[in-house]
Amino acid sequence: MAPHKLCMIPGPIEFHEDVLAAMSTPATSHVDPNFVPIFGESIEMVRKVVLSEKAQPFIVSGSCTLGWDMMVNLLEQGDEVLALNTGYFVYGAKITTLRADVGSRPSNDALKQALSEKKYKMVTVTHVDTSTGVLSDIKAIAQTVKSVSPETLVIVDGVCSVGSEEIRFDEWQLDIVISGSQKGLGVPPGLSVVVASPQAIEVYKSRTTPIISYYSNWNKWLPIMEAYESRKPAYFATPAVQLIYALHASLKAITSQPMEVRFEKHREVSSKFRQTIRDLGLKTVAQCEECSANGMTAVWLPEGIEIPQLVPALAAKGVQIAGGILNGLAGKYFRIGHMGISVTEPERHHIDKVVETLTDSLKELGYKA
Amino acid sequence: MAPHKLCMIPGPIEFHEDVLAAMSTPATSHVDPNFVPIFGESIEMVRKVVLSEKAQPFIVSGSCTLGWDMMVNLLEQGDEVLALNTGYFVYGAKITTLRADVGSRPSNDALKQALSEKKYKMVTVTHVDTSTGVLSDIKAIAQTVKSVSPETLVIVDGVCSVGSEEIRFDEWQLDIVISGSQKGLGVPPGLSVVVASPQAIEVYKSRTTPIISYYSNWNKWLPIMEAYESRKPAYFATPAVQLIYALHASLKAITSQPMEVRFEKHREVSSKFRQTIRDLGLKTVAQCEECSANGMTAVWLPEGIEIPQLVPALAAKGVQIAGGILNGLAGKYFRIGHMGISVTEPERHHIDKVVETLTDSLKELGYKA
């Protein structure tokens, strides 16, 4: 691999050599008999990553954000949406937002209360908030939603969690998980990856008003996914052949061992990383262990050290970390990603290098633990 | 480059080694100071490819098809659209279609007539119809539209023409050119490339109803393009970093010589290719020289030879060509792409190989010219 700064931000993450090699697959037709099974198997492996037997994956050229656009397939004018974090929607839906303090998450009681007041078409929740590293308990949330209002769909923003956090799509009764290629799935950015439950597909199929989107329209994409999964080519738009070869390479590695091993490895490394942060006398933005993400950590800056000092100090030592992105607090904390091969292949010493360069940089900037 | 079938379909086309190498750029943050100018310069070079000084390019993760979705930024409920070929729209627009026979194009008189009957918000035209290889005279069409109805926007589907056909965006008064990465631009699929005129941007800015799309919304993308062009990072959705490195590599090669040289080269090679087709006793689907695309050719199959014979015969000799895709006629013709490095770098002998394997395959299948 070409020499480069270690990319230890909460995505894009470091890519395996095999994944990068797949990115430069020579020109291949999107209906080539060699490519068709690559796409088909990728669809199947996405299902495995979220531990589902029956969910429908969609793999479409676009960024993670496109996944939110696809929710247009489930929404009709006037539908009520309960957003446990930030709501993204247009498309005529009415949004109610349940907020929590920075670093914590809305309580289960607040959720129950909200659900009892109105009939919601969907509840949206961000599994890992990339801006703070807070992990939601999507299992408990889905349980609450489905016990109070079984028809309500549970929509999970899994952008920063698929591939790094435990997700049991079927068992937890999730309806949608939205993600993309460049985080826990370990593939360069450019693919939107969305997984839909049979219940969500049913809601989409039984809608009575037309879907007001062209590119995000499942009427276009569902037949394509079904075709490739049954190893037939089909055409709506040219798939990102090289990115799908890369996704295939990464998913093959990811699914070569039980997902539980991968979840556990991310838990172990992140827990150790948070301990290191505490040992340095620093505080994470997430306020408790169980609400801390396992694929990334946001850390408050110590007094007197600023982002424009710390980030370049690490960059000069060959490690890229990220600043904060929370409105009004962006300059107060930094973020580090620990996902994928940086975690599953400790022999690469990515995390060691982050800890070492962070420690040295803080010291250089005059910080005393 | 890994051994592979020569991909001589009307896109994806063959990629230069430098472009494929850029595809495997190691993990790089989308706000990395190394990446920011790569994105910024790519935006500038897209403008150069369509010979414009003032158009606004949009480079977004997605397929070519996403570009059509972006037309939502220009349309409001009830707007009239005149489609010179097939109309794609939803979004509340009313479509009038001007059709022509297979292999030919609607006449200028028919266009004038249509424009005189109604006020159209936009006229859409496919520059090269990928299904037939028919080239539209977008210069004449734009001239007619702007002389009869200057407020009407001229929207060009340039998916199979940008980078291989002459496009003079400013001089011809085009308003939108929609394209993608994997055809004349010579980059793997996964990027939507759209160019908008100041007049189109003005229509977008002066609309009075909200834009009913999230992912295609220029309110999100315009600030991103403006930021990267002025060499500042900005965030709406993570750009496809590796694809943009690849686009940069290809655009650098393309813009290293005057576009006229590239247009002429494509004209020369395609004209010679059509002569070869005639010499073989075959007929192109496009019915005249001036309505024949320069980046691809569709050819009627000779009596007694079928697509499931011809395409595999060439594949066995290491060349991938494409069947037809026109409803009802798909089995009657085949398509060959001649764009990008296959044309500009004759020392690769791509076209020679196509001609040779096509001639041999036809002979094997019992065809006598």
Side-chain angles (χ1 to χ4, degrees):
Chain A
M1 204 182 305
H4 69 292
K5 274 177 286 182
L6 261 190
C7 193
M8 302 302 286
I9 63 177
I13 70 169
E14 281 292 314
F15 310 125
H16 193 282
E17 290 77 2
D18 294 349
V19 171
L20 285 179
M23 282 295 283
S24 49
T25 301
T28 302
S29 164
H30 45 293
V31 298
D32 191 291
N34 294 319
F35 175 64
V36 172
I38 295 293
F39 199 168
E41 286 167 26
S42 298
I43 294 169
E44 291 163 0
M45 290 190 286
V46 163
R47 198 179 281 122
K48 281 187 189 163
V49 166
V50 297
L51 295 173
S52 175
E53 299 280 328
K54 45 194 181 161
Q56 176 62 55
F58 293 87
I59 303 172
V60 174
S61 293
S63 76
C64 301
T65 310
L66 176 63
W68 279 107
D69 206 71
M70 285 195 184
M71 295 310 101
V72 71
N73 291 284
L74 303 174
L75 289 170
E76 299 185 73
Q77 192 68 32
D79 279 348
E80 298 279 355
V81 172
L82 179 63
L84 296 196
N85 311 75
T86 318
Y88 281 98
F89 295 99
V90 279
Y91 303 126
K94 297 183 202 157
I95 319 277
T96 307
T97 307
L98 266 192
R99 291 187 192 281
D101 291 339
V102 169
S104 68
R105 39 196 200 185
S107 76
N108 208 27
D109 285 348
L111 171 60
K112 263 189 193 153
Q113 177 66 26
L115 287 168
S116 70
E117 286 165 4
K118 221 185 256 175
K119 184 54 110 194
Y120 288 100
K121 176 77 159 278
M122 56 172 67
V123 170
T124 71
V125 53
T126 302
H127 195 185
V128 168
D129 180 348
T130 316
S131 68
T132 59
V134 170
L135 175 72
S136 292
D137 185 352
I138 57 168
K139 178 186 178 183
I141 290 166
Q143 207 164 24
T144 302
V145 173
K146 294 297 181 182
S147 67
V148 179
S149 172
E151 320 82 82
T152 301
L153 299 175
V154 176
I155 314 291
V156 176
D157 180 333
V159 168
C160 201
S161 77
V162 171
S164 58
E165 303 289 346
E166 182 172 4
I167 297 180
R168 298 183 178 275
F169 193 87
D170 290 358
E171 192 186 320
W172 295 355
Q173 294 184 269
L174 309 178
D175 291 299
I176 297 282
V177 170
I178 291 166
S179 193
S181 43
Q182 80 275 12
K183 306 211 176 192
L185 295 178
V187 179
L191 292 176
S192 163
V193 177
V194 169
V195 180
S197 70
Q199 189 179 342
I201 295 292
E202 192 47 44
V203 167
Y204 145 71
K205 285 189 171 163
S206 60
R207 62 182 293 143
T208 57
T209 58
I211 295 158
I212 52 161
S213 174
Y214 178 58
Y215 191 66
S216 296
N217 197 317
W218 285 353
N219 294 344
K220 305 288 185 187
W221 291 115
L222 187 55
I224 304 295
M225 298 304 139
E226 289 173 343
Y228 276 95
E229 190 163 357
S230 60
R231 306 298 186 267
K232 287 181 201 117
Y235 182 75
F236 163 52
T238 306
V241 173
Q242 279 66 17
L243 275 166
I244 289 172
Y245 268 106
L247 177 67
H248 187 269
S250 193
L251 287 172
K252 231 177 146 172
I254 291 173
T255 59
S256 67
Q257 53 179 6
M259 288 306 296
E260 285 76 8
V261 174
R262 187 175 178 88
F263 302 150
E264 193 44 44
K265 194 79 196 160
H266 278 81
R267 273 195 209 101
E268 187 191 313
V269 169
S270 68
S271 161
K272 216 176 127 193
F273 183 74
R274 287 191 298 274
Q275 186 55 50
T276 307
I277 292 298
R278 281 189 296 267
D279 292 348
L280 281 168
L282 300 178
K283 271 189 178 157
T284 62
V285 176
Q287 290 173 3
C288 56
E289 272 297 285
E290 70 277 14
C291 69
S292 293
N294 296 298
M296 65 162 290
T297 302
V299 182
W300 294 113
L301 279 168
E303 200 71 36
I305 295 183
E306 298 185 348
I307 289 294
Q309 300 175 296
L310 187 66
V311 171
L314 273 102
K317 295 177 175 61
V319 175
Q320 182 72 52
I321 65 167
I325 47 171
L326 211 56
N327 261 348
L329 292 168
K332 304 281 185 197
Y333 68 101
F334 60 93
R335 297 174 303 144
I336 286 172
H338 32 78
M339 288 178 247
I341 57 170
S342 295
V343 165
T344 59
E345 301 180 10
E347 61 276 21
R348 292 179 185 263
H349 299 293
H350 291 179
I351 310 294
D352 299 341
K353 186 148 190 214
V354 169
V355 170
E356 182 192 309
T357 53
L358 177 63
T359 309
D360 291 353
S361 300
L362 286 168
K363 211 175 284 176
E364 277 168 30
L365 294 169
Y367 173 71
K368 284 184 186 75
Chain B
M1 203 183 306
H4 71 292
K5 272 177 288 182
L6 262 192
C7 195
M8 301 303 286
I9 63 176
I13 69 168
E14 281 291 315
F15 309 124
H16 193 283
E17 291 76 4
D18 293 350
V19 171
L20 286 179
M23 282 295 285
S24 50
T25 300
T28 304
S29 165
H30 44 293
V31 298
D32 192 291
N34 293 319
F35 175 65
V36 172
I38 295 293
F39 200 169
E41 287 167 24
S42 298
I43 294 170
E44 291 162 0
M45 288 190 287
V46 163
R47 198 179 281 122
K48 281 186 189 165
V49 166
V50 297
L51 295 173
S52 176
E53 298 280 328
K54 45 194 181 162
Q56 176 61 57
F58 293 86
I59 303 172
V60 174
S61 292
S63 75
C64 301
T65 309
L66 175 62
W68 279 107
D69 208 71
M70 284 196 185
M71 296 310 100
V72 71
N73 291 284
L74 302 175
L75 290 170
E76 299 186 72
Q77 193 69 33
D79 278 348
E80 299 280 354
V81 172
L82 178 63
L84 296 196
N85 312 75
T86 318
Y88 282 98
F89 295 97
V90 281
Y91 303 128
K94 297 183 200 155
I95 320 278
T96 307
T97 307
L98 266 193
R99 291 187 193 283
D101 292 339
V102 169
S104 67
R105 39 196 200 186
S107 74
N108 208 27
D109 285 348
L111 171 59
K112 264 188 193 155
Q113 177 66 27
L115 288 168
S116 70
E117 287 166 3
K118 221 185 257 176
K119 185 53 114 192
Y120 288 100
K121 177 76 159 278
M122 56 173 67
V123 170
T124 72
V125 53
T126 303
H127 195 184
V128 169
D129 179 349
T130 317
S131 68
T132 59
V134 170
L135 176 72
S136 293
D137 185 352
I138 56 169
K139 178 186 176 184
I141 290 167
Q143 208 164 22
T144 302
V145 172
K146 295 296 182 183
S147 67
V148 179
S149 172
E151 321 80 81
T152 301
L153 299 175
V154 176
I155 315 291
V156 176
D157 180 333
V159 167
C160 200
S161 76
V162 170
S164 58
E165 304 289 347
E166 182 173 3
I167 297 180
R168 299 183 177 276
F169 193 88
D170 289 359
E171 192 187 319
W172 296 354
Q173 293 183 270
L174 309 179
D175 291 299
I176 297 281
V177 169
I178 291 167
S179 194
S181 42
Q182 80 275 12
K183 306 212 177 190
L185 295 179
V187 179
L191 292 177
S192 164
V193 178
V194 170
V195 180
S197 70
Q199 188 180 341
I201 295 291
E202 192 46 44
V203 167
Y204 145 71
K205 285 190 171 162
S206 61
R207 62 182 293 143
T208 56
T209 58
I211 296 159
I212 52 165
S213 175
Y214 179 57
Y215 190 66
S216 296
N217 197 318
W218 286 352
N219 294 343
K220 306 289 184 187
W221 292 114
L222 187 54
I224 304 297
M225 298 305 137
E226 290 173 341
Y228 277 95
E229 190 163 357
S230 59
R231 307 295 187 269
K232 288 181 202 116
Y235 182 75
F236 164 52
T238 306
V241 174
Q242 278 67 15
L243 276 167
I244 289 171
Y245 269 106
L247 177 67
H248 187 269
S250 193
L251 288 171
K252 229 173 149 177
I254 291 173
T255 58
S256 67
Q257 53 179 7
M259 288 307 295
E260 284 75 9
V261 175
R262 187 176 178 89
F263 301 152
E264 194 42 45
K265 194 81 194 158
H266 279 80
R267 273 195 210 102
E268 186 192 312
V269 169
S270 68
S271 162
K272 215 177 127 191
F273 184 73
R274 286 191 299 275
Q275 185 55 52
T276 307
I277 292 298
R278 282 190 295 268
D279 291 348
L280 279 168
L282 301 177
K283 273 190 177 156
T284 62
V285 176
Q287 291 172 3
C288 56
E289 272 296 285
E290 69 276 15
C291 68
S292 293
N294 295 298
M296 65 162 291
T297 302
V299 183
W300 294 112
L301 279 168
E303 200 69 38
I305 295 182
E306 298 185 348
I307 289 294
Q309 299 174 297
L310 187 66
V311 172
L314 274 101
K317 295 178 177 57
V319 174
Q320 182 73 52
I321 64 167
I325 46 170
L326 210 56
N327 260 348
L329 294 170
K332 305 282 184 197
Y333 69 101
F334 60 94
R335 296 175 302 144
I336 286 173
H338 31 80
M339 286 177 248
I341 57 170
S342 296
V343 165
T344 57
E345 300 180 10
E347 60 276 21
R348 292 179 185 263
H349 298 293
H350 290 179
I351 309 294
D352 299 342
K353 186 148 188 213
V354 168
V355 170
E356 182 193 310
T357 53
L358 177 63
T359 308
D360 291 353
S361 300
L362 286 169
K363 212 176 282 178
E364 276 168 32
L365 294 169
Y367 173 71
K368 283 183 188 75

